[in-house]
Structures are given as C-alpha cells and as structure tokens.
Amino acid sequence: MQLIAPQKAAYLGGLLVTLAFYFLIISPPLPDAGIYDSQRVIELASLASLCILFPTRFWPSKTKGLTIALFFAAGAISAFMAKALLWALIEHLRFLLLFLLAFSIATMQPTARASVIHATIFITAIATIKVIIGIYVTSQLGGGIAAIAASFSNHRHFAEFFIAAEGFLAFFLLSNEKKSTSFLAAIPLTSASIIVHMGAGRASGLALLASSAAFIYLHRRHRSRSAVIMALSSLTGWLITSQLFPMNSLESSILRQGDSGRLQLWSAAIDGWLESPFFGVGPMHFASIPNDIAAHPHNAALQILCEWGLISLCFIAIFFIAWWRRVFITRPSKGALSSPAAAAAAAAAALVGLLLSSMFGGVFVVPAVEFLFFILLGLTIEPETSEWRTATNMPTITRTISLGLCVLCFVTWPSRNADLPRAVPIDAPRFWQNGGLPTP
C-alpha cells in the first residue's frame, strides 16, 4: 500500500477536521433523522476516519501514561459488570478513541498539527459569522437563542460549544504581536458575551470568565491589553443584548434562582454510585437510574464516579492534574510566540472553561462539544515539550477499536428507539441511546 505523502496527509487531516465541525455545527447532513442523531453519526464517522488514517503511535509516559491506562482498565471492568454490556462498551470504546485522537494530534508532525489548528480556527470563524447574522435576524424577526442554536439539540449545549470555540479563536488572536490582529479578538469575545446573556447561561458565563482568566495567566505578553479587550467585549455584549433583546436583561436571566433539577440529578448519581462504589453502575448506565429529567447527571465528575466508579475517577483526576501541570510548566515565555505555542495556550485556556462547564452540563455527552474538547486537548501540548513512549502496536489497536466501535453502533442502532419501558424520558439522550436504557 502506497503511503500518503506527509504534506498531503496534513491537508487530509485538516480537511477531515473541517468537514467534521462543519457538519456538526454548521449544516447537519441528516435533518430528517434529528439533530442529535446527525451529530452522533458525524462524530462516529469523523472519529473512526481520523483514528484509522492518523492512528497514534505514542502513549504518554510516566504518570500520565500509567493513570490513563489504569482508568480504561478499571472502566473495562465496569463495562463487563454493567447490566447492558453493549451500551457500556460503546461508551467505553468511544472515550478510548477520543483520547487516542487527542494523543495523535499532540504528537503530529508540525505541518499536520498546523493543519488541525487552522481547520479549527477557520470553522470557528465561519460559526462566528453565522451567529452574528443569527443575532441580527432574531432581533428583527424573533426566535431568540433557540433559532440561533438550531443545529444543536438545545441552546445550552450550543452555548457550551460556542463559548469554548470562540474562546479558542479569541485567545489565538490575542496572542498575535500585531495590535490590529489582537483587537480582532473583540469580535468572537463580544459574540460569546451576547450568547451568554441571550441564553441565560450561568455555567457558560462562568466558563467564559474562567477561560479568560486562564489565558491571562498562561499568556505572559500584553496581559493588560488582553484584559482590556476582554472587559470591553463583555460590556459591549451586554449592551447589545440589552438593546436588541430587552427581555434578556442580566438581572432576570443569568442571576435567576433555581438549580434546574441538577441537585436531584447529582443526588441520583451519588445514590447510584453507592450501589457499586469501586466500579460504578457501568458506562452510560446513569441512564438506567430512574428520574424524570435527564440521562446524565450534568456533572462530569459525578458522571464518572457513578458510571465508572471511584477507582476510575481517581485515575482520571491524576491524569488531568499531571497533564495540566505540564501545560502550566511549559506555558509560553515572554518572548515572541510561535503559532503552535499560541495555539497551545489558547486551547488550554478554552479547555479550562469547558472543564468548568462540564461540572454543570453535558460536555461529555453532546457529540459536537466532546469532539471539540478532545481536539483542543490534543492541541494543548506541543510534542517536544512532553514525554511519550513509542507503542509499536498502537496503530493496529487503534484501527481495530475504531472498526469495533462502528460495528457495535451499527448492531445497536435499531434498538436505541425501541418502544420499551425506560427509567429516563425518551427525549433525554445519551450517545447512541435516545433516552434512558430500557429497564431490565
């Protein structure tokens, strides 16, 4: 088999990422099947294609490598102990492939890595233009945030994605030495502020603040200029929202009272975890715990604790602590930034916001949002600043898992909508499952 030339491979990787994001957030290709089903299919196809064409050949070394391996080993035990094995395996293998995709991006050749960076920035810029047009149209014709978020299952999922994507674009622009370029960051930052106010996104607002603070800490140059642009953009966004959408005032939206059912979901997650403290109820199996709100607990830590167990939660927590320690150690110096270094800082800052948002929402449930999360995760680490171990058989393993996940999804596709009693409403989906798992 003839190998693809490195330059062509780089362009192919960027093209695949561009197409994935385009179909996930700009123009869903299966509107008749529903937005969520469309995102599922696109994430599966994109994930499998990228992992087959660009399989990782490296595994993190030392603490990061050991803890992520133990996380998935403990997760495998959780899956085989679960009531619905196939659904648990789909969730387990999907997360494994997402991490392998992040590792592949982290260790790509410079041209291929740059292609992924440019693809992500390009599609985010297109999304910004679409949202700006949507803001104007809805201000004239009505429809509100729901009309702008039409390519997502609900506007809060859209806000999770948009805040992170706009943050990445804005932070990358702020890293530029040219003042004219850095001031362009006000466009995505203002758009993000408007979406926060329109959607009454308390978690998204906190995520935007957290990612902005993280960027100022990570990026040592022109901190004052960045802070001023951020503050002015936030104020501008609030003023525009107040003028165009007077019903969406700050006082009546973001500062509203109530937990939106999250305390009930968190309590259910803890109760489920107590049934099997070490290995949890099984990946995706929060959807088997009776409740009338959602198939996930709206908290990533509780989701892992309940479904994967305490052992897995400890290992993944150590992994991310070690990962972020490396990010902060290698944050850009006060000298001029290269494009990869600027992208790494921007991605790390955007991920801080996504991680905070995951404590209140569905970052690791919504296909578009979690796909963005792992793309950014791969961009946070430059290959030369991290430690990797060559894994000779990893490409074969990655391709086998990719094909295996596709087969599992194909086999289970007809039964995801089966008319059976369910513990969770049918309109509260998880990946590949439209609602709660059928009750045994």
Side-chain angles (χ1 to χ4, degrees):
M1 178 176 144
Q2 186 177 4
L3 294 176
I4 301 175
Q7 195 71 17
K8 292 182 178 179
Y11 293 144
L12 178 60
L15 177 62
L16 287 174
V17 171
T18 301
L19 290 175
F21 280 129
Y22 178 80
F23 289 127
L24 282 171
I25 66 171
I26 303 295
S27 180
L30 305 172
D32 294 336
I35 296 300
Y36 209 93
D37 278 346
S38 182
Q39 285 200 2
R40 287 169 169 145
V41 172
I42 294 303
E43 183 190 24
L44 176 65
S46 303
L47 187 57
S49 299
L50 287 166
C51 286
I52 289 172
L53 292 173
F54 303 97
T56 182
R57 301 177 184 275
F58 303 93
W59 189 260
S61 62
K62 298 183 179 179
T63 301
K64 295 190 292 293
L66 177 62
T67 53
I68 197 65
L70 291 174
F71 167 74
F72 282 108
I77 296 174
S78 302
F80 280 98
M81 291 174 60
K83 295 176 182 178
L85 176 61
L86 290 183
W87 298 111
L89 284 178
I90 287 174
E91 186 84 345
H92 182 275
L93 295 181
R94 177 172 61 97
F95 273 106
L96 178 54
L97 280 185
L98 285 165
F99 272 99
L100 290 174
L101 174 62
F103 297 159
S104 176
I105 293 173
T107 55
M108 277 181 172
Q109 295 292 331
T111 52
R113 187 181 176 86
S115 181
V116 173
I117 293 170
H118 296 151
T120 307
I121 290 173
F122 170 75
I123 207 69
T124 301
I126 297 298
T128 305
I129 296 172
K130 179 182 177 182
V131 167
I132 291 173
I133 295 173
I135 291 170
Y136 174 76
V137 171
T138 55
S139 71
Q140 301 298 311
L141 303 178
I145 187 69
I148 297 174
S151 56
F152 281 75
S153 51
N154 70 58
H155 71 269
R156 288 184 174 84
H157 296 161
F158 165 76
E160 286 177 339
F161 180 94
F162 191 72
I163 298 305
E166 294 303 278
F168 176 68
L169 174 61
F171 302 148
F172 187 81
L173 292 172
L174 285 173
S175 301
N176 199 285
E177 289 297 308
K178 295 182 179 179
K179 286 186 179 182
S180 57
T181 302
S182 64
F183 279 116
L184 287 175
I187 298 174
L189 287 173
T190 301
S191 302
S193 177
I194 294 173
I195 292 301
V196 167
H197 293 304
M198 285 185 66
R202 293 171 293 184
S204 296
L206 289 174
L208 183 59
L209 288 173
S211 59
S212 298
F215 175 76
I216 290 175
Y217 173 77
L218 289 170
H219 184 65
R220 301 184 183 185
R221 290 180 62 83
H222 310 303
R223 286 179 171 174
S224 298
R225 185 172 72 190
S226 297
V228 169
I229 293 173
M230 291 174 183
L232 291 176
S233 299
S234 179
L235 177 60
T236 302
W238 176 70
L239 290 173
I240 291 174
T241 309
S242 299
Q243 293 298 314
L244 295 181
F245 308 96
M247 296 302 293
N248 288 81
S249 65
L250 178 64
E251 293 77 10
S252 64
S253 56
I254 295 179
L255 299 182
R256 71 191 189 280
Q257 301 297 314
D259 57 40
S260 301
R262 283 173 175 78
L263 293 180
Q264 181 182 337
L265 293 172
W266 296 350
S267 177
I270 293 173
D271 290 342
W273 164 64
L274 291 174
E275 294 179 7
S276 180
F278 295 108
F279 294 103
V281 296
M284 207 190 295
H285 274 59
F286 180 87
S288 67
I289 298 175
N291 75 85
D292 57 359
I293 303 176
H296 65 98
H298 287 67
N299 183 295
L302 289 178
Q303 182 176 324
I304 295 172
L305 179 66
C306 174
E307 298 184 345
W308 297 60
L310 180 62
I311 295 174
S312 290
L313 179 62
C314 290
F315 285 137
I316 198 64
I318 296 172
F319 168 81
F320 273 107
I321 289 171
W323 188 275
W324 288 108
R325 179 176 178 272
R326 174 58 60 179
V327 168
F328 290 131
I329 288 175
T330 59
R331 67 185 190 272
S333 65
K334 292 186 177 181
L337 295 183
S338 64
S339 180
L351 273 183
V352 168
L354 264 182
L355 283 172
L356 178 59
S357 187
S358 74
M359 296 299 109
F360 304 95
V363 169
F364 298 112
V365 173
V366 182
V369 185
E370 69 180 7
F371 189 77
L372 174 65
F373 180 95
F374 285 95
I375 292 289
L376 295 178
L377 183 65
L379 294 176
T380 58
I381 296 290
E382 298 177 81
E384 62 272 13
T385 63
S386 188
E387 297 168 324
W388 300 87
R389 177 179 297 175
T390 303
T392 306
N393 296 324
M394 190 56 68
T396 301
I397 294 172
T398 302
R399 288 168 174 147
T400 301
I401 294 173
S402 301
L403 294 175
L405 178 60
C406 291
V407 170
L408 282 175
C409 290
F410 177 79
V411 169
T412 55
W413 176 265
S415 60
R416 79 197 192 288
N417 280 329
D419 186 16
L420 296 170
R422 296 173 187 268
V424 180
I426 193 67
D427 60 347
R430 288 289 295 269
F431 183 78
W432 224 250
Q433 180 66 38
N434 285 346
L437 294 175
T439 55

